[in-house]
Amino acid sequence: MSSNSIRILAGNSHPALSKLIAKRLGTELANVTVTKYSNQETAVTIGESVRDEDVYVIQSGCGEINDHLMEMLIMISACKTASARRITAVLPCFPYARQDRKDKSRAPISAKLVANMLSVAGADHVITMDLHASQIQGFFDCPVDNLYGEPSVLRYIRENVPDWRNAIIVSPDAGGAKRATSIADHLDLDFALIHKERKKANEVSRMVLVGDVKDKVAILVDDMADTCGTLGLAAKTLMDNGASSVYAIVIHGVLSGKALEVINNSVLTRVVVTNTIPHAEKKKQCPKLDTIDVSAVLAEAIRRTHNGESVSYLFGHAAI
């Protein structure tokens, strides 16, 4: 007989975060086995009943992204055909989020394709965090809760950045100006901007600082750090302009390619990322890395969704 309780299914992308979320909700992860056949097809076995239950499938867009996305789609489809009452896709880091617009001829809008696939698989609701572009919510026909890591970032700055009252918040590009100004306003700090010119994707050629950082602690904030080329160059630009030290705080730490080498060789004092993407092994190679745990925010969003409560509390700064 159904109890309409929370059932949390975890894929292979980030089991540590899934366990933290389940622990905060006072429940266990559902019995799910995800394997591959010898021809690399993904096979999912759900080892318990989900009939008439409230199911949450957690899978982050990281690592082997295509395999993990397929895992999630198959798990959602399996729950749909097993008569789950409601299926929520929980994507701490949304896959293909940077392919959100047609920025050149014949470019695909892959984020829209991912949205379509999740809907067709059977997702009734989506919970994610800090979308690269919040308009991605409009790609879905079902409700989307785009949670913010900003309250967690504000708390980290207040508790872990020495002399933060003498800091300045810096956006490494024009696109992140709104995020940086919001954080600066809440901390009552000044704001600066770095304008970057790219020769090609992932390669920055020149940086120009707009604002005064002399003798201040510069805090770079961004939504995603991939190869960290931008952060490394931005930090050098800030130090060249008289900053006393440079911190970088990023929501999604992809840290691919030579990212760790760039961070270790840079003038950055610390690079802080949330655990939407696993990086425990990377922390062993890079002592400058630090972590903000966002499992509490995701767990609270799941709890409120299940109980029919408003999730808007988590969007504002009451959650700080």
Side-chain angles (χ1 to χ4, degrees), residues 2-57:
S2 164
S3 57
N4 189 28
S5 58
I6 295 176
R7 283 279 185 276
I8 297 181
L9 279 63
N12 288 330
S13 66
H14 199 345
L17 179 62
S18 303
K19 286 173 185 170
L20 280 171
I21 292 170
K23 186 178 178 183
R24 288 184 181 275
L25 289 166
T27 185
E28 297 286 329
L29 293 175
N31 180 17
V32 179
T33 307
V34 182
T35 54
K36 278 189 175 183
Y37 294 138
S38 57
N39 67 349
Q40 298 304 299
E41 281 184 8
T42 300
V44 172
T45 306
I46 300 173
E48 58 190 76
S49 174
V50 294
R51 180 178 292 273
D52 211 29
E53 302 285 21
D54 193 11
V55 174
Y56 296 82
V57 182

Side-chain angles (χ1 to χ4, degrees), residues 4 7 27 34 51 83 107 110 119 121 135 149 154 198 219 231 249 256 272 275-276 311:
N4 189 28
R7 283 279 185 276
T27 185
V34 182
R51 180 178 292 273
S83 303
S110 304
S119 298
Q135 301 93 302
L154 291 170
R198 291 183 187 271
I219 303 174
L231 288 183
I249 303 181
S256 64
V272 186
N275 59 344
T276 56
V311 182

Side-chain angles (χ1 to χ4, degrees), residues 93-148:
C93 179
F94 193 87
Y96 290 91
R98 284 178 285 185
Q99 298 181 39
D100 60 330
R101 65 192 186 279
K102 195 170 180 179
D103 55 352
K104 53 183 179 286
S105 298
R106 298 171 297 282
I109 306 175
S110 304
K112 168 66 172 169
L113 177 62
V114 172
N116 288 345
M117 288 194 294
L118 287 166
S119 298
V120 170
D124 302 305
H125 179 211
V126 173
I127 296 174
T128 186
M129 179 168 268
D130 273 283
L131 285 168
H132 189 63
S134 55
Q135 301 93 302
I136 290 173
Q137 294 170 85
F139 293 166
F140 289 88
D141 292 326
C142 64
V144 178
D145 286 321
N146 180 28
L147 307 175
Y148 297 118

Side-chain angles (χ1 to χ4, degrees), residues 279-294:
H279 54 266
E281 289 303 312
K282 291 172 182 172
K283 282 179 84 171
K284 295 174 185 175
Q285 303 169 48
C286 183
K288 291 184 180 181
L289 273 183
D290 203 0
T291 309
I292 297 174
D293 181 15
V294 292

